[in-house]
Amino acid sequence: MRHVVIPRAGGYDRLTVETRPDPLPEPTGVVVAPEAIGVNYADCVVRMGLYSSAREYVGWPITPGFEFAGTVCAVGASVTDLAPGDRVFGVTRFGGYATRVAVPRHQVFALPARFDMAQAAGFPAVFLTAYFALFELAHPRPGQTLLVHSAAGGVGGALLQLGRIAGCRTVGVVGASHKVEAARALGADAVIDKSREDLWRAAERISPQGYDVVLDANGVSTLSESYKHLARPGKLVLYGFHSMLPRQGGRPNWLKLAADFLRTPRFNPLDLTSDNASVLAFNLSYLFERRDVLEEAMGRLLAWVDEGRILPPPVTRFPFGQVADAHRALESGTTVGKLVLVP
């Protein structure tokens, strides 16, 4: 098998393709030959050496990758409901950038009839993130107003679609004019193009009473204002800190990281109580072993896919050997939807 290996933290040059023997399945596991592999911004953070669960569970060297779609090539002795040749997609806590991926059975799902392999490979990480943020943490009520940052990206686009399913009014924020129509197509009731207008002035115009839920993966660049623009009561859900990381060059700027860390707001429990506001956060990679969470979330998501209520994310494909180009494109902030590697 071929797999991408990062020997130590760094830039795009750290992404090397190596070969090793194919893995064997655990008794309750499966081995899949991916035909497409999802690329997520978290993979770039792993490469930079800044992803906490990567350090905790793997260390160096590491093969990044959280999601894949392909064909089953081997099953463990205890697996009776899958067989070689079955078309599946799934999640893995690292190790996804490979031509063979071994995972527990509960992390693999039948390929949806409405998706091709590339669309399926780009589906689980972003939709599970969006599902957990909305339905496990925020619990929005029909008619409430959501503000979604990075609305044309993978998780942002998933949040717009799930917000519509939840019966909410969704306001998407994008950073470039070419992303406005993408956000509208995914269900945004209003779109703020912060490259052309002041973000927070527009947010106040659209929802003068504030937002019942704000979903923010930017970090320090928007965190304070996201909190200030909550309705009362309101919930701020955090799932990333993208603005602290580089837009070009592929390496962290340690002075900027230190300055942004110092500027990151600290939420005092007394203030939260007085403001009648909640701040919630999570990291999806710590939840993959939670079979109950995965089964419930994927069960509901795939039912909505079958009903046509969820559209597959728009996908840009990169050959497996051009993984550095995929990371470079994702970090540029110009992409729409999901990127996938094709072995």
Side-chain angles (χ1 to χ4, degrees), residues 233-253:
K235 298 173 183 177
L236 172 59
V237 183
L238 316 177
Y239 59 95
F241 299 88
H242 295 176
S243 66
M244 299 173 71
L245 299 171
R247 282 296 185 197
Q248 57 184 359
R251 296 176 183 273
N253 179 328

Side-chain angles (χ1 to χ4, degrees), residues 74-92:
V75 301
S78 300
V79 176
T80 58
D81 57 346
L82 284 178
D86 288 347
R87 292 159 57 84
V88 298
F89 74 112
V91 294
T92 176

